Amino acid sequence: MDGVPRVPDQRRPAPGNAPEELRPHFSVLGPVRAWHGAEQLSMGSPQQRALLAALLLRAGRTATAHELIDALWGDEPPSQALAAVRTYASRLRKVLPAGVLVSEAGGYAIAVAEGALDLSLAEDLSTEAEKARSVGDLCQARSLLNKALSLWDGEPLANVPGPYAETERTRLEEWRLQLLESRLDMDLEVGCHAEAVSELTALTAAHPLRERLRELLMLALYRSGRQAEALAVYADTRRLLDDELGVDPRPGLKELQQRILQADPALTEPSAAAPEPAATVVRPAQLPATVPDFTGRASFVAELSDILSAAEGRVMAVSALAGIGGVGKTTLAVHVAHVARTYFPDGQLYVDLQGAGARAAEPETVLGAFLRALGTPDSSIPDSLEERAALYRSVLDGRRVLVVLDNARDAAQVRPLLPGMEGCAALVTSRIRMVDLAGAHLVDLDVMSPEEALLLFTRIVGEERVTSERKAALDVVAACGFLPLAIRIAASRLAARRTWTVSTLAAKLADERRRLDELQAGDLAVKATFELGYGQLEPSQARAFRLLGLADGPDLSLAAAAAVLDLPLEETEDLLESLVDTSLVESAAPGRYRYHDLVRLYARACAERDEQPPSERGAAMSRLLDFYLATAAGVYALERPGDRTVDHLEVTERVGLDFTDGAKAFDWLHAEASCILACVQHSLSKEGLRRAVDLLLAAKDLAESGAISYRYEMATRAACEVAASVGDARAEGRARVSLAQVLNKVGRFDDAAVELERAAALATDSGDPWTTGNALNEQGIINNCINRPAVSEIHLRKAIDVFRADGNRHSEASALCNLSRALLAMGRTTKSIDLAQQGIAIYSDLGVTFRLANAKYALGLALSGADRRPEALDQLNDALQIFAENRQRLWEGTTHYRIAQVYLADCHAAQAAQHSEQALAIGCVGGEWMRANVLTLLGRSLVDLGQVDRAQACWREALAIHEEAGAPEAAQVRQLLAPVTAA
């Protein structure tokens, strides 16, 4: 070593002549590796890789042989260390492209092109993230840090020997944790606290003495409404630090505990050290476009604008006198909202509450949409109306947001949607005068003055035509009752027909005797104006207008409309687009059409009056029901090959859409969910009852779809009532099985059992094999859930016999998997595994992918019961992936719970806690009962991690849930808490 002169550090120029895809690139954030293009190069022995790592970590600077010897062997180099270094360098030079490893004055350097080393990329991304955070762009900063963190591939410098590698390994791991803490801090800044809990739980288990992670976990739990657990984390931390190090938590952790105890409101906001939240807050701008020819209403615009500009939490209600439709409530509200939007810099929300329709929008559904528009992740949105309303108010706290609630049914629908926060305001339109909306500023909106009405008419038709026929124009607006919507429609028709004079239009209006009668009938005033437009339609257009208005639901797809009209798609589209041109129908989106609620009422009145023969109305709705049933049955069959359910459905006269792609079929089902359930409700007459019930069977996947699940339950209840009233045992039995399946998924086992007992009795009367088999299968599932495996076995063996007799192999596989769980609960593990494998074999033979997840789930449980945990995890992880790909969120959450059970049984408490948190965030089959089970399991995992106080908080919450439901699991949780109670 004495003969090796020391040379100063110097950077080597990176090779830049080769195309980027052929340049060598390297990794050190994991195993030390090198690639030339797509080819991975062999880096030789561990010492050879240690030399490469030492050179790479010098970022192109030359390292002397002495420095490299120190890096590889430290204070105890071998006698031939210098020769060894030269040998390693020579071997590397042969493997690497020419010019990459260079030697100079007894030293060596690696010439690395920009972006060719994963560590350099991570450093650049970290720098860019800091810049983005400094200017308040938290979304970009989080994205950049996630990219940086994704470059790690296990332990840095994995299996590389030497003191230098060990030091750098520690440094790089510490840096990774710092990046993680920074990204998690920003996660909390943007409101992703619920998602962060799972990751932080795992990190605190892996790094129990890292106080910053504990602090972030406390804050995430507190912001997720889990105050007791947040305080328990502090107690666990204090005890751990005292036991391990004999020290107290740092001041910041103590201060956070005190602020949580005091329920400091500032804790719900980002910390002072974080970037200004205003930079990351989502600012919705949902206002519809204001009409360019807005006319009159000057006093109302000034009055409402003044109130909004001085908003201090007041609520403004714009309501129509006597509920007259078409008076311009929405137009005025939207116009005023645009005028005042500068006073609400944090955004404007808008919703049509559909209060004039038969099924007004549910407040919880609207709140879900509002929360998403305000930037709240789906996983953080609670289920109940009360919780959503509370979170909505919390999200709006400190913001200035204008909320426009259009077409409200009544005050009860509106109240949960009001901001309730100082600085926010609401504009509400409704057909009723909301005297019971506390604190509202009421405005009675009347028809236009003659001057305003004439001005609106002139702006649409054109000044030249009106000036020459002013008297006729006054006659037109008077005949329209000065109602804005009537004037707009009449003027639009005239503007579109250049051969008409204003006098022609006035004469047409004057000749309408029914129009005059309807103008005196309040709400029916609009009908006269629609009559004018309807009278100009060609016969085919008029028929389409009448029949399509009979369908319920928020809108109608082109394919569904073609079924109603019994016409080809192309002809149907031409008719609908021509109706859009007349303003009688709206284009909701490409390929989807809708009616204004008043226009729909008018269309139905026309159908009752004009449709010949009258039976055509029923035939049109029958064709729509056939279309939905045939298409949903096809989707069902595509997802469940071999399931004979579709063979037991009512035969339809029409074919439906034909899907070959499962994802597109599933998308169709969920896109049409509201329309399908509306069609079911509409079709619950004696003629359509059986097909309506069978449509519920074919669309059973909707039962797991959030807000749609509630509507599905309501539809099944309505079907049960109608079927019972007409004495149709088959329809009633099927409807009650469907209802029981919904109740089972939300943990209402007693109610589900009652429905299944009725279904079983009805199946005996009707001889329906579908009801018989599925009622037995569902009874087996329920008895599995309530820990009555012997009873479950009886039901499931009968179900298997019924399915085999029916040739329904798909359902047989389902029952076999359920029976596997029953036998597992009775300790018959070997047979349990065999049954689950039989289920998998059947599903595989049928080519099933979607439902294969249920069989893998059952096999995973059975293998876990046999203490074959690695195999169990393989099966459960396969099931988890399939459930996630098919948007089965509740089953996805339930599988996380089962994976957590396996990890805890295998003494991997950190992984168990992480999967338990994911189950809580997603939700599980079984509703609150299963949530309590997850909390119990999470508590056990936390105890093993030394977080006793937080575990007890979880158990107390679980106990409250079980006690409220009268569940037997409460005794088990009390036993877990017994030592605490005794103390």
Side-chain angles (χ1 to χ4, degrees):
M1 289 188 294
D2 293 340
V4 180
R6 180 177 179 84
V7 296
D9 284 351
Q10 51 187 308
R11 289 189 175 273
R12 304 294 307 178
N17 294 329
E20 184 174 346
E21 62 271 15
L22 296 179
R23 293 175 188 170
H25 52 284
F26 304 89
S27 72
V28 293
L29 299 178
V32 176
R33 291 172 292 190
W35 292 265
H36 186 209
E39 178 189 2
Q40 183 173 343
L41 306 176
S42 173
M43 291 296 100
S45 67
Q47 287 79 11
Q48 195 168 303
R49 283 185 277 115
L51 177 65
L52 176 61
L55 293 174
L56 288 171
L57 291 170
R58 294 182 67 83
R61 293 186 296 272
T62 300
T64 67
H66 177 76
E67 289 170 330
L68 293 172
I69 291 170
D70 281 344
L72 268 64
W73 294 286
D75 296 333
E76 299 180 356
S79 59
Q80 300 298 316
L82 180 58
V85 167
R86 289 172 176 167
T87 299
Y88 298 152
S90 175
R91 291 173 180 171
L92 285 173
R93 188 179 286 112
K94 291 177 181 178
V95 174
L96 295 170
V100 174
L101 176 60
V102 296
S103 58
E104 184 173 317
Y108 300 94
I110 291 283
V112 181
E114 183 178 353
L117 177 63
D118 57 357
L119 175 58
S120 299
L121 281 174
E123 290 170 340
D124 292 343
L125 288 165
S126 174
T127 300
E128 291 301 313
E130 290 175 8
K131 292 178 182 178
R133 188 174 188 180
S134 68
V135 298
D137 191 353
L138 294 191
C139 291
Q140 176 68 0
R142 292 170 69 219
S143 176
L144 290 167
L145 281 186
N146 277 325
K147 289 180 181 178
L149 288 164
S150 71
L151 295 173
W152 264 262
D153 186 16
E155 181 184 48
L157 307 174
N159 300 317
V160 173
Y164 180 73
E166 185 60 37
T167 301
E168 287 299 304
R169 210 168 6 249
T170 302
R171 178 183 71 84
L172 291 172
E173 176 60 18
E174 172 62 24
W175 185 47
R176 185 185 73 87
L177 288 173
Q178 290 173 1
L179 294 180
L180 262 175
E181 288 172 345
S182 180
R183 197 219 68 213
L184 285 162
D185 189 33
M186 287 187 282
D187 287 349
L188 301 189
E189 283 288 318
V190 298
C192 296
H193 34 267
E195 294 89 338
V197 169
S198 175
E199 187 173 1
L200 282 164
T201 296
L203 285 169
T204 53
H207 306 280
L209 298 177
R210 201 170 182 93
E211 292 183 68
R212 178 55 179 157
L213 289 175
R214 298 272 183 159
E215 184 178 349
L216 290 169
L217 177 57
M218 288 174 65
L219 187 57
L221 286 166
Y222 181 74
R223 289 184 178 173
S224 299
R226 298 160 69 175
Q227 179 180 1
E229 286 185 67
L231 293 170
V233 170
Y234 178 81
D236 289 328
T237 305
R238 182 180 59 184
R239 183 175 55 256
L240 178 67
L241 291 173
D242 184 53
D243 291 345
E244 297 289 330
L245 305 176
V247 298
D248 290 331
R250 62 187 181 86
L253 209 58
K254 292 180 181 179
E255 180 185 353
L256 179 58
Q257 181 220 20
Q258 290 301 313
R259 293 175 68 190
I260 291 174
L261 287 169
Q262 297 162 8
D264 184 351
L267 277 185
T268 61
E269 303 170 358
S271 62
E276 286 295 324
T280 61
V281 169
V282 177
R283 294 180 175 83
Q286 297 184 341
L287 296 178
T290 186
V291 293
D293 50 25
F294 181 86
T295 303
R297 312 297 199 190
S299 62
F300 290 121
V301 173
E303 176 185 357
L304 292 169
S305 298
D306 288 344
I307 295 171
L308 289 174
S309 64
E312 295 180 357
R314 294 188 64 186
V315 179
M316 282 60 65
V318 181
S319 54
L321 178 64
I324 295 178
V327 79
K329 305 179 295 294
T330 298
T331 301
L332 175 61
V334 170
H335 181 78
V336 169
H338 276 282
V339 170
R341 65 181 299 174
T342 56
Y343 298 108
F344 301 92
D346 295 318
Q348 307 85 41
L349 297 168
Y350 172 88
V351 65
D352 179 2
L353 294 174
Q354 302 178 28
R359 296 176 182 85
E362 296 292 338
E364 54 263 51
T365 303
V366 175
L367 285 170
F370 276 179
L371 286 167
R372 281 187 286 273
L374 291 164
T376 306
D378 279 348
S379 58
S380 299
I381 298 176
D383 292 329
S384 71
L385 172 60
E386 294 76 16
E387 288 176 313
R388 288 189 177 190
L391 178 59
Y392 171 62
R393 293 190 294 271
S394 298
V395 170
L396 288 178
D397 190 24
R399 302 193 197 182
R400 298 205 63 175
V401 174
L402 175 62
V403 183
V404 180
L405 305 172
D406 191 21
N407 195 11
R409 178 186 56 203
D410 52 30
Q413 185 191 26
V414 166
R415 288 190 190 100
L417 308 178
L418 298 178
M421 293 297 158
E422 191 167 330
C424 294
L427 280 172
V428 184
T429 75
S430 177
R431 294 187 180 183
I432 65 171
R433 197 167 187 269
M434 294 193 175
V435 294
D436 53 344
L437 193 60
H441 175 77
L442 300 180
V443 174
D444 292 330
L445 191 60
D446 204 347
V447 296
M448 286 181 152
S449 68
E451 295 77 16
E452 290 175 334
L454 183 60
L455 180 58
L456 174 60
F457 184 82
T458 302
R459 286 180 173 175
I460 298 172
V461 173
E463 186 171 355
E464 181 180 351
R465 295 176 77 182
V466 173
T467 300
S468 61
E469 294 185 274
R470 181 177 176 82
K471 183 179 184 304
L474 287 170
D475 290 341
V476 168
V477 296
C480 289
F482 309 111
L483 198 67
L485 182 59
I487 296 167
R488 182 173 297 280
I489 293 176
S492 296
R493 303 310 305 154
L494 181 60
R497 290 162 174 76
R498 304 303 299 177
T499 58
W500 285 13
T501 64
V502 179
S503 297
T504 302
L505 178 60
K508 288 179 175 293
L509 289 172
D511 287 342
E512 296 293 338
R513 292 174 295 174
R514 288 181 58 83
R515 176 189 58 80
L516 294 175
D517 294 336
E518 290 164 354
L519 282 175
Q520 299 174 9
D523 250 350
L524 295 179
V526 182
K527 188 174 180 180
T529 304
F530 294 152
E531 190 75 54
L532 178 62
Y534 175 69
Q536 304 305 315
L537 298 177
E538 298 294 331
S540 59
Q541 293 175 315
R543 174 180 179 268
F545 175 71
R546 292 191 302 267
L547 294 182
L548 294 176
L550 297 173
D552 285 330
D555 58 10
L556 203 62
S557 70
L558 177 60
V564 172
L565 300 178
D566 198 19
L567 292 173
L569 281 176
E570 295 79 4
E571 188 174 346
T572 301
E573 184 174 21
D574 290 342
L575 283 171
L576 281 164
E577 288 300 326
S578 70
L579 289 173
V580 170
D581 291 339
T582 69
S583 299
L584 290 174
V585 170
E586 300 174 19
S587 178
R592 301 198 74 87
Y593 301 88
R594 68 186 177 203
Y595 286 77
H596 183 280
D597 50 6
L598 296 178
V599 180
R600 188 196 300 272
L601 292 175
Y602 172 72
R604 290 177 176 177
C606 291
E608 292 179 7
R609 181 189 66 194
D610 300 339
E611 199 60 47
Q612 297 298 327
S615 60
E616 176 59 10
R617 301 197 303 273
M621 290 301 93
S622 181
R623 291 192 294 268
L624 180 62
L625 178 58
D626 269 3
F627 166 76
Y628 282 135
L629 176 54
T631 307
V635 173
Y636 187 101
L638 186 63
E639 293 174 349
R640 302 169 176 84
D643 190 337
R644 289 205 65 236
T645 292
V646 293
D647 299 321
H648 292 293
L649 302 180
E650 285 288 294
V651 177
T652 61
E653 296 182 4
R654 290 190 63 87
V655 297
L657 298 177
D658 185 20
F659 294 101
T660 56
D661 184 290
K664 290 182 179 179
F666 208 62
D667 288 342
W668 176 87
L669 183 67
H670 284 267
E672 295 288 343
S674 295
C675 297
I676 287 172
L677 295 178
C679 183
V680 169
Q681 296 270 23
H682 187 277
S683 304
L684 292 177
S685 62
K686 190 170 184 179
E687 293 75 16
L689 175 62
R690 288 196 170 188
R691 282 179 294 155
V693 170
D694 284 354
L695 179 52
L696 288 171
L697 269 58
K700 65 177 292 186
D701 289 330
L702 298 180
E704 290 189 14
S705 184
I708 294 296
S709 176
Y710 174 76
R711 293 187 59 186
Y712 185 94
E713 178 184 345
M714 293 301 100
T716 56
R717 289 190 182 279
C720 290
E721 293 175 6
V722 174
S725 68
V726 300
D728 190 329
R730 196 193 82 169
E732 185 183 355
R734 292 185 176 189
R736 294 201 182 279
V737 170
S738 298
L739 178 56
Q741 290 171 338
V742 178
L743 296 172
N744 188 16
K745 284 184 174 63
V746 296
R748 292 160 62 183
F749 304 127
D750 291 341
D751 293 339
V754 170
E755 296 300 332
L756 291 171
E757 287 178 8
R758 294 177 182 172
L762 290 162
T764 302
D765 295 339
S766 66
D768 180 18
W770 187 93
T771 302
T772 302
N774 282 275
L776 288 166
N777 192 31
E778 204 68 27
Q779 284 173 318
I781 293 172
I782 290 173
N783 281 285
N784 275 340
C785 291
I786 61 177
N787 200 27
R788 295 174 61 188
V791 178
S792 177
E793 180 183 8
I794 295 171
H795 288 303
L796 291 170
R797 290 196 183 279
K798 291 179 180 178
I800 291 169
D801 290 341
V802 173
F803 291 140
R804 285 174 175 167
D806 190 37
N808 194 338
R809 298 189 67 209
H810 186 284
S811 295
E812 177 191 345
S814 171
L816 285 169
C817 293
N818 293 327
L819 181 57
S820 167
R821 293 182 58 189
L823 298 188
L824 177 64
M826 293 187 287
R828 295 154 66 181
T829 310
T830 302
K831 186 61 177 175
S832 174
I833 293 172
D834 178 61
L835 288 170
Q837 289 173 334
Q838 288 182 44
I840 288 178
I842 292 174
Y843 282 138
S844 300
D845 185 50
L846 293 173
V848 173
T849 54
F850 177 20
R851 294 298 163 185
L852 183 61
N854 297 93
K856 286 182 169 289
Y857 173 89
L859 180 56
L861 296 185
L863 290 168
S864 176
D867 292 332
R868 293 161 61 180
R869 298 188 188 105
E871 297 171 76
L873 285 174
D874 288 342
Q875 295 297 325
L876 289 171
N877 280 313
D878 286 349
L880 181 67
Q881 182 179 350
I882 298 171
F883 285 136
E885 289 173 352
N886 288 277
R887 289 175 279 185
Q888 298 295 300
R889 293 286 287 169
L890 296 180
W891 275 109
E892 185 183 347
T894 304
T895 308
H896 274 297
Y897 166 66
R898 298 301 186 184
I899 292 173
Q901 286 182 314
V902 177
Y903 273 125
L904 187 59
D906 210 25
C907 300
H908 294 296
Q911 292 94 325
Q914 185 176 12
H915 282 279
S916 296
E917 287 287 1
Q918 289 177 287
L920 288 174
I922 295 172
C924 299
V925 174
E928 284 296 289
W929 170 76
M930 182 58 92
R931 174 178 171 79
N933 292 337
V934 178
L935 285 165
T936 303
L937 180 66
L938 175 58
R940 288 185 169 133
S941 305
L942 293 172
V943 165
D944 287 355
L945 293 172
Q947 301 180 32
V948 178
D949 292 87
R950 185 179 166 200
Q952 291 164 356
C954 292
W955 290 337
R956 282 190 287 271
E957 184 180 349
L959 180 61
I961 294 171
H962 282 320
E963 286 183 337
E964 182 177 353
E969 289 84 358
Q972 178 189 67
V973 182
R974 286 193 202 96
Q975 189 173 0
L976 291 171
L977 286 166
V980 182
T981 307

